[in-house]
Amino acid sequence: MDYFLELFFGGLTRGSIYALIALGYTMVYGIIQLINFAHGEIYMIGAFVALIVAGVCTIYGLSGVSILILAGIVAVIYASAYGYTLEKIAYRPLRDAPRLSPLISAIGMSIFLQNYVLLAQTPDFLPFPRLIPEFAFMEPVAYILGSPELVILVTTLVTMILLTLLIKKTKIGKAMRATQQDMNMARLVGVSVDRIISLTFVIGSALAAIGGVLVASYIGQVNFYIGFLAGVKAFTAAVLGGIGSISGAVLGGLILGWAESFAAGYISSDYEDVFTFGLLVLILILRPSGILGKSTKQKV
Amino acid sequence: MQNLKQSILVSVWFVFLTFPLMVVRVNTMDNIVVWRWESLVWVAYEAFVLSYFWRFLMQRKAVREKALAANDNLVELIKNDSLVQNNFIFVLLVLLQIVPAFFYSFVLPWSYLFGFFLLAFLLAVGIRKYQYRKGLGSFARVDEAVSDKPRLNLLENHSFRIRAQLVILTISLIFPLVVDTYQSNIMISALIYVVLGLGLNISVGLAGLLDLGYVAFFGVGAYSYALLNHHFGLGFWVTLPIGGLLGCLFGVLLGFPILRLRGDYLAIVTLGFGMIFKVVMENWDALSFGPSGIANIDKPGLFGIDMDLAGSTVYIYYIMIALVVFTIIVTNRLKNSRIGRAWIALREDEIACVAMGIDMARTKLSAYALGAFWAGMVGVLFAAKTTFINPASFTFMESAIILSIVVLGGMGSILGVILGAFILILLPEYLRAFSEYRMLVFGASMTLMMIFRPQGLISNLRQTYQYKGSKEMSDNG
């Protein structure tokens, strides 16, 4: 039972990170029907910037939690800036192009950003300082759910609640929903569509950066390649839940996290990634619109 | 003045953006921070220059699109093109790339790269000017549309094409005899990518099915030769068709579940297949010997004659040339065949294509299968050439390289793909100092190509059919 619970919480933690990244995919896809292939790289850049800030701060003698918060904030700012720039340079000029063009452009940007970090920094894994403190009250259950996991779960939960409030209650959220439903109509009623799209990229990137910082301080290492796999898995989560749907992304992330955790725990950890992609292929065959997605009619 | 202000803003923005990654380098093990301030200066300068360049290109693109939509005279437009007139500024920009040489640090190769980019562009503008003066290329096509003059485009001239093909073939046949083994080896790998590019061109360029796991088929071919050779001692020539057919089979197998998907979903699923292939090969020790791979694969034999290393390299080179020629002929025929036209129809509009009575399943599967066939065949050759394979040769990066070959060269264009493969594989080989920067350039060029030249370096010439009964019949290959 303990083993089961350990896997359960492990999957939950993992799944909530996937959900954070998947939200970026789903929000962007919902508005401009583009798979932002470079989203995983934004996540990686978030983690890397956090590492750099944390490293510099450690050397100049700051203490644990304050570093984590500072690194988190800087990472979010930078990831958002990168997301914004990415949209402006690589996707905006292709808004009216055939559908394959922005996707190829996105793949190009993904490769570019990976290699940019590789060349500007290092190809090696860098150890990420353990910044999340061990809470004393978690001691009795630490073998099932450790403090870092708890921090991840709480942070994710808070972030998601904030995001939901932003989308459901604010004027910006209303404009985002309008743009998602009908871009031209939204433009007609005075929504600045370009700004909303930029904003979507900024928010998605910020969420990815939060995920990146949490994962990096949890796993304890970072390199230029971590974004790629995380990105593909988060995309799987988004598709699983139904791409374009925000609650779907969260649900998909959690399901994927559990599936991976249990499959790795009970079957074999070597083939963990195979399970993920197997799951992706299965969903796409059986229900391409995902669990919560609406199936749309195709027109010429 | 407006331009200047904007460029300074861009420059400041990029300084901010690249600050942590380009300037700070932190070693968390030994707690050392290295500050590389010189890269800050460089980023500021480069962002300033490139933002000018970017704006020029964007303006030009906008003007052209507008003119094309309004059916204006393109020649007049290009003649008055600000870029063609302002060559001087760009020569200056290229020359100024030497400035960072004084820093002599890690920004140096980066700045030379940008210099190359600008230089290449300058060259392209120069060629266009030349074409304009001589009435060649796309100018000729516009001229013709305006004035009924016959076409002068060299690539469409039948006799020129045949002569050019003969010359290229002769050069490529003499090539291994005059250069050393090292050069032949590089050329073989470039040719391998030519075939891979042409294979991927079938599914991506012609049928519009973006395949990000193409390297898996290549791996299937390589592993089938390695395993058949290891376990049963089968020779190269027997396995060559087997590898191709196995690739084909895998193409169909993977194609079936994803028939209903399109565009971006398809890309991700094929990416997943590529990854699954690699993970399985890494972990299924009983079959593939895991990450350590399979060594001592036989080189192709020639009637039992023993050959030294140089001899067998030349031999493989000739096999490769034959394979390339075979691929070119077959893909060219396929492109203009019934199935090829079905692929293009599928690419242009799936629903309309199906409504016209084209069997979607068969068309898609055949695109996959035929694309995979070439990858399988050339995989066998790859295994025979390196005599050692392991899963590390079949990563996503390889798929990305092949894809950027197709994108850079021109989707659907055979000549373009060949050119793309040579540029992307040979340039990094000969410019050793920049070979680490190769993926960076590939990535950037994929994006830039999509924005500024989506048709690739050499755009795919649409087959035109003419009524041959008219009096003035132009020679149209």
Side-chain angles (χ1 to χ4, degrees):
Chain A
M1 194 58 199
D2 280 352
Y3 187 54
F4 174 82
L5 279 179
E6 194 191 323
L7 291 180
F8 178 83
F9 283 112
L12 189 66
T13 316
R14 202 190 267 231
S16 56
I17 298 290
Y18 288 153
L20 272 181
I21 312 172
L23 280 171
Y25 277 111
T26 249
M27 284 164 68
V28 167
Y29 193 92
I31 290 187
I32 52 174
Q33 277 79 45
L34 160 77
I35 296 177
N36 180 9
F37 215 86
H39 192 58
E41 268 56 58
I42 299 284
Y43 154 91
M44 179 268 294
I45 284 175
F48 233 107
V49 170
L51 171 83
I52 288 166
V53 173
V56 172
C57 287
T58 319
I59 291 166
Y60 291 104
L62 279 163
S63 66
V65 181
S66 60
I67 295 182
L68 183 67
I69 292 169
L70 186 66
I73 291 171
V74 176
V76 164
I77 291 173
Y78 266 99
S80 313
Y82 270 93
Y84 174 79
T85 315
L86 188 70
E87 195 269 333
K88 201 133 194 192
I89 289 180
Y91 305 144
R92 186 167 296 179
L94 294 170
R95 189 100 26 97
D96 304 318
R99 238 181 131 181
L100 224 49
S101 303
L103 185 63
I104 292 176
S105 170
I107 294 168
M109 273 296 118
S110 162
I111 297 171
F112 177 83
L113 287 175
Q114 263 178 36
N115 284 276
Y116 156 67
V117 174
L118 165 82
L119 293 167
Q121 292 287 320
T122 166
D124 307 322
F125 270 101
L126 287 175
F128 198 94
R130 292 209 171 268
L131 298 172
I132 303 175
E134 293 289 331
F135 301 119
F137 64 86
M138 289 299 290
E139 209 57 57
V141 287
Y143 61 98
I144 301 172
L145 178 69
S147 309
E149 278 116 322
L150 185 76
V151 172
I152 291 179
L153 289 178
V154 171
T155 319
T156 319
L157 193 69
V158 172
T159 315
M160 303 239 175
I161 291 172
L162 287 179
L163 180 72
T164 317
L165 287 180
L166 175 82
I167 290 175
K168 291 270 147 82
K169 301 283 176 196
T170 62
K171 210 170 170 187
I172 294 170
K174 211 177 203 173
M176 283 171 80
R177 278 180 289 146
T179 315
Q180 177 161 14
Q181 279 173 10
D182 192 329
M183 205 187 273
N184 285 331
M185 197 58 213
R187 199 175 275 136
L188 280 180
V189 294
V191 175
S192 168
V193 169
D194 280 348
R195 263 171 66 193
I196 290 298
I197 291 172
S198 288
L199 190 74
T200 312
F201 271 85
V202 166
I203 293 173
S205 307
L207 294 174
I210 294 172
V213 177
L214 291 175
V215 168
S217 56
Y218 174 50
I219 298 174
Q221 54 179 9
V222 165
N223 91 338
F224 72 95
Y225 201 62
I226 56 166
F228 182 69
L229 204 59
V232 175
K233 287 188 174 173
F235 175 74
T236 309
V239 173
L240 182 61
I243 200 153
S245 139
I246 286 181
S247 44
V250 177
L251 185 70
L254 293 182
I255 292 177
L256 186 70
W258 278 319
E260 268 190 7
S261 182
F262 287 124
Y266 286 119
I267 307 172
S268 155
S269 59
D270 287 342
Y271 289 101
E272 198 185 291
D273 298 343
V274 175
F275 294 127
T276 315
F277 293 121
L279 192 65
L280 176 67
V281 175
L282 268 183
I283 314 153
L284 288 175
I285 297 166
L286 300 175
R287 195 178 154 78
S289 51
I291 298 170
L292 297 181
K294 280 169 275 172
S295 61
T296 45
K297 284 227 170 64
Q298 291 159 351
K299 285 184 217 151
V300 178
Chain B
M1 216 41 219
Q2 182 65 28
N3 274 336
L4 195 68
K5 209 171 120 194
Q6 237 174 333
S7 285
I8 289 172
L9 273 179
V10 170
S11 166
V12 170
W13 175 251
F14 272 91
V15 165
F16 161 73
L17 210 57
T18 51
F19 174 73
L21 288 166
M22 293 282 277
V23 175
V24 190
R25 188 166 189 179
V26 65
N27 186 333
T28 40
M29 294 288 261
D30 311 326
N31 282 345
I32 304 168
V33 188
V34 183
W35 300 88
R36 299 170 292 184
W37 293 108
E38 76 279 0
S39 54
L40 204 69
V41 181
W42 177 77
V43 166
Y45 167 73
E46 212 62 66
F48 184 80
V49 170
L50 289 180
S51 76
Y52 256 100
F53 197 54
W54 179 267
R55 220 169 304 119
F56 261 130
L57 289 175
M58 278 308 200
Q59 274 164 10
R60 193 160 90 133
K61 192 183 164 198
V63 169
R64 279 197 183 179
E65 270 165 12
K66 217 197 243 161
L68 278 179
N71 250 335
D72 270 354
N73 189 345
L74 203 63
V75 175
E76 277 308 306
L77 201 83
I78 295 168
K79 207 165 81 181
N80 299 326
D81 192 326
S82 53
L83 259 185
V84 179
Q85 287 175 344
N86 290 330
N87 271 354
F88 169 72
I89 294 177
F90 287 98
V91 174
L92 205 67
L93 292 184
V94 173
L95 287 180
L96 280 177
Q97 294 297 320
I98 302 167
V99 173
F102 296 112
F103 294 127
Y104 212 81
S105 67
F106 100 111
V107 297
L108 189 67
W110 296 70
S111 75
Y112 281 155
L113 268 181
F114 283 123
F116 272 125
F117 253 127
L118 292 177
L119 202 64
F121 187 79
L122 207 63
L123 209 68
V125 172
I127 292 174
R128 274 192 102 61
K129 257 187 150 172
Y130 173 78
Q131 280 184 333
Y132 168 69
R133 251 184 244 134
K134 300 274 171 190
L136 293 165
S138 55
F139 295 100
R141 233 165 293 157
V142 179
D143 268 342
E144 181 194 40
V146 179
S147 69
D148 283 336
K149 261 189 243 158
R151 244 169 232 218
L152 277 168
N153 193 339
L154 280 180
L155 291 178
E156 288 169 41
N157 186 327
H158 191 62
S159 65
F160 172 79
R161 261 189 5 194
I162 288 194
R163 264 180 289 159
Q165 280 162 2
L166 281 178
V167 169
I168 290 169
L169 194 66
T170 325
I171 292 174
S172 57
L173 286 180
I174 300 171
F175 181 78
L177 305 175
V178 291
V179 298
D180 55 8
T181 313
Y182 174 71
Q183 302 290 337
S184 310
N185 258 325
I186 292 175
M187 197 45 95
I188 293 172
S189 37
L191 291 173
I192 285 178
Y193 279 98
V194 168
V195 177
L196 285 174
L198 288 172
L200 186 65
N201 189 32
I202 293 179
S203 51
V204 176
L206 295 180
L209 307 164
L210 189 56
D211 188 346
L212 297 180
Y214 187 67
V215 81
F217 303 130
F218 183 51
V220 165
Y223 265 99
S224 59
Y225 178 48
L227 290 172
L228 288 173
N229 186 265
H230 184 86
H231 292 299
F232 306 107
L234 283 186
F236 171 79
W237 290 109
V238 184
T239 331
L240 190 63
I242 296 180
L245 290 177
L246 276 177
C248 229
L249 189 72
F250 266 80
V252 174
L253 276 181
L254 299 190
F256 254 120
I258 50 183
L259 275 179
R260 283 201 298 167
L261 306 177
R262 50 157 114 201
D264 15 28
Y265 281 107
L266 190 85
I268 295 282
V269 172
T270 49
L271 173 77
F273 281 139
M275 307 261 264
I276 289 176
F277 176 78
K278 190 174 164 258
V279 174
V280 169
M281 284 299 140
E282 264 169 3
N283 291 301
W284 194 358
D285 291 349
L287 176 79
S288 65
F289 301 94
S292 52
I294 303 170
N296 288 329
I297 304 166
D298 286 344
K299 294 225 169 212
L302 179 66
F303 307 116
I305 303 170
D306 275 335
M307 276 181 292
D308 57 348
L309 188 68
S312 72
T313 306
V314 173
Y315 181 48
I316 292 177
Y317 175 86
Y318 282 126
I319 297 175
M320 204 56 231
I321 287 285
L323 191 60
V324 168
V325 172
F326 181 51
T327 317
I328 293 172
I329 293 171
V330 173
T331 42
N332 199 19
R333 301 290 295 174
L334 273 176
K335 198 170 113 183
N336 299 328
S337 69
R338 189 186 166 83
I339 187 86
R341 276 175 278 136
W343 287 334
I344 293 170
L346 194 72
R347 176 187 74 190
E348 297 295 326
D349 195 320
E350 189 169 324
I351 295 170
C353 159
V354 174
M356 293 298 290
I358 291 171
D359 183 351
M360 182 195 61
R362 221 182 67 186
T363 315
K364 273 193 180 174
L365 285 181
S366 62
Y368 263 110
L370 284 168
F373 175 74
W374 300 109
M377 286 241 283
V378 84
V380 172
L381 200 122
F382 173 74
K385 181 209 161 207
T386 53
T387 68
F388 166 74
I389 55 164
N390 69 350
S393 313
F394 310 108
T395 55
F396 169 69
M397 277 304 135
E398 290 298 314
S399 292
I401 291 174
I402 306 170
L403 181 66
S404 42
I405 286 174
V406 175
V407 169
L408 181 80
M411 285 192 271
S413 151
I414 290 175
L415 193 62
V417 171
I418 297 171
L419 188 71
F422 279 123
I423 291 177
L424 289 191
I425 304 303
L426 292 185
L427 270 190
E429 283 295 339
Y430 290 117
L431 301 172
R432 268 283 162 202
F434 302 103
S435 57
E436 335 168 27
Y437 292 79
R438 147 180 112 125
M439 290 312 290
L440 187 87
V441 176
F442 286 7
S445 58
M446 266 159 99
T447 300
L448 292 178
M449 277 314 225
M450 279 299 121
I451 296 175
F452 296 113
R453 208 177 153 81
Q455 73 273 36
L457 284 179
I458 299 182
S459 53
N460 183 26
L461 295 173
R462 264 225 147 109
Q463 182 91 350
T464 46
Y465 299 95
Q466 276 188 340
Y467 177 54
K468 302 266 177 182
S470 66
K471 272 183 273 172
E472 284 179 357
M473 190 183 72
S474 66
D475 188 13
N476 194 359

